[in-house]
Amino acid sequence: MRIVVALGGNAILRRGEPMTVASQRASIAAACGPLAALAADNDLIVSHGNGPQVGLLALQAAAFDEVSSYPFDVLGAQTEGMIGYLIEQELGNQMGNERALATVLTRMEVLLDDPAFQKPTKFVGPVYERDRALTLADERGWTVKPDGKDYRRVVPSPFPQRILHLAPIEWLLAEHCVVICAGGGGIPTTRDPVTGQVAGIEAVIDKDLASGVLARDIGADMLIIATDVPGVYVDWGLPTQRLIRSAHPDALEAMDFASGSMGPKVTAATTFARGGHGDAFIGALDDFTNMSHGKSGTKVSLSVEGIEFV
């Protein structure tokens, strides 16, 4: 099968760990074992998040001088190369370094009039205590919001429309190459409606939504969205919480999930499944194989009636 796997942020850097190369390499190495097993008998396409990394690069550039502050499209391209390299190296080692892997810088088209530009929601960079976050927001003109017990910077996150120039990804897949692309949601790009010229824009696209677009555009048979929980829960964090085993996309979409966490995952999964492309799964990072066989995670499929709980 042709399978797209969207790696959650915990696959790149676990919450609370220092943003060092060593920490990221260790987290990625742990994720690449299950990925290698999945790639053995399938065409594999891997996407990944970049929130902490792109935020850190923005801080580093701003610390040098104001003139050197890089826009988020350029920073996103940097993280695609950096994280893609680490995945290539660790996944290649897991696969015996016999199968080709390639990282593709992926431009993702968004709309200039997307309302997200007026309402930043995407978390980037490290976590801060409340007082420190509010001080930074005042000094640097940031928007900050709570993320669990801490605070983080948020930036616009427009909805991805399509991948620009899909052909190179298809060429690589035709040669049985493992492709790493749409990292961090891809490089946010707009198109001038008059001239047709494209340009980067200050934003960070949600990697789950972008992975759904990627899976749709390349005709994937399956979309797996990896996270740090076993699947989609109702009443999360309450005594009444229940794990959804499977759901029809319409039934799942009708439920309410947090926009900063499970919401985009559910939207990506339901949109992909409703399109008739294949089934989507949301579940634990270390359970790819069972998810691909429908034995774990939350399955989103047109073949399911309503919602089934564990």
Side-chain angles (χ1 to χ4, degrees):
M1 292 192 294
R2 179 173 283 191
I3 300 176
V4 171
V5 175
L7 294 178
N10 61 310
I12 312 300
L13 182 71
R14 298 189 185 279
R15 181 179 287 269
E17 290 189 353
M19 280 196 286
T20 63
V21 172
S23 293
Q24 293 175 72
R25 191 185 299 277
S27 296
I28 290 170
C32 283
L35 278 178
L38 196 62
D41 300 311
N42 301 287
D43 288 332
L44 180 64
I45 306 95
V46 181
S47 63
H48 58 81
N50 73 342
Q53 292 81 7
V54 77
L56 178 63
L57 289 177
L59 282 173
Q60 290 175 335
F64 185 69
D65 61 57
E66 288 301 321
V67 177
S68 300
S69 295
Y70 282 22
F72 271 100
D73 58 314
V74 175
L75 296 174
Q78 285 183 277
T79 62
E80 277 201 278
M82 176 180 69
I83 298 171
Y85 155 67
L86 292 173
I87 295 173
E88 278 192 43
Q89 189 171 71
E90 298 303 326
L91 184 54
N93 286 335
Q94 293 277 359
M95 298 170 62
N97 290 307
E98 295 181 352
R99 186 168 166 187
L101 301 96
T103 298
V104 179
L105 296 184
T106 314
R107 291 181 295 167
M108 187 73 72
E109 187 172 350
V110 301
L111 300 179
L112 272 171
D113 59 356
D114 192 303
F117 288 110
Q118 307 304 319
K119 187 179 179 181
T121 59
K122 181 65 177 175
F123 291 114
V124 298
V127 297
Y128 301 98
E129 293 183 352
R130 180 180 181 277
D131 290 346
R132 178 59 177 159
L134 295 178
T135 298
L136 288 171
D138 184 59
E139 292 176 352
R140 302 185 180 186
W142 291 357
T143 301
V144 296
K145 291 185 177 181
D147 183 15
K149 63 182 179 64
D150 298 304
Y151 276 67
R152 290 174 73 189
R153 182 185 181 187
V154 290
V155 298
S157 184
F159 196 90
Q161 301 296 317
R162 68 184 184 97
I163 293 172
L164 296 178
H165 305 303
L166 195 67
I169 297 173
E170 292 283 8
W171 297 336
L172 292 165
L173 290 172
E175 296 299 323
H176 200 48
C177 180
V178 174
V179 180
I180 302 147
C181 60
I187 302 164
T189 307
T190 59
R191 184 185 297 273
D192 188 295
V194 178
T195 66
Q197 294 290 303
V198 298
I201 194 166
E202 282 272 62
V204 174
I205 301 169
D206 183 89
K207 72 99 176 45
D208 295 312
L209 297 178
S211 299
V213 170
L214 168 66
R216 178 200 70 192
D217 289 355
I218 65 170
D221 302 298
M222 182 181 295
L223 170 64
I224 296 177
I225 299 176
T227 183
D228 54 1
V229 293
V232 181
Y233 286 83
V234 295
D235 297 338
W236 171 252
L238 300 175
T240 54
Q241 74 175 29
R242 291 189 292 169
L243 174 62
I244 298 173
R245 172 58 68 218
S246 59
H248 188 281
D250 292 344
L252 189 61
E253 191 176 58
M255 306 180 77
D256 187 34
F257 298 97
S259 61
S261 54
M262 190 56 71
K265 295 173 174 55
V266 167
T267 298
T270 55
T271 303
F272 175 76
R274 187 183 294 109
H277 308 286
D279 295 338
F281 294 86
I282 302 172
L285 176 66
D286 58 356
D287 214 12
F288 293 145
T289 302
N290 282 332
M291 269 195 284
S292 67
H293 290 93
K295 297 179 180 179
S296 67
T298 296
K299 176 182 178 179
V300 185
S301 174
L302 292 174
S303 65
V304 179
E305 293 186 9
I307 292 180
E308 301 172 358
F309 292 93
V310 171

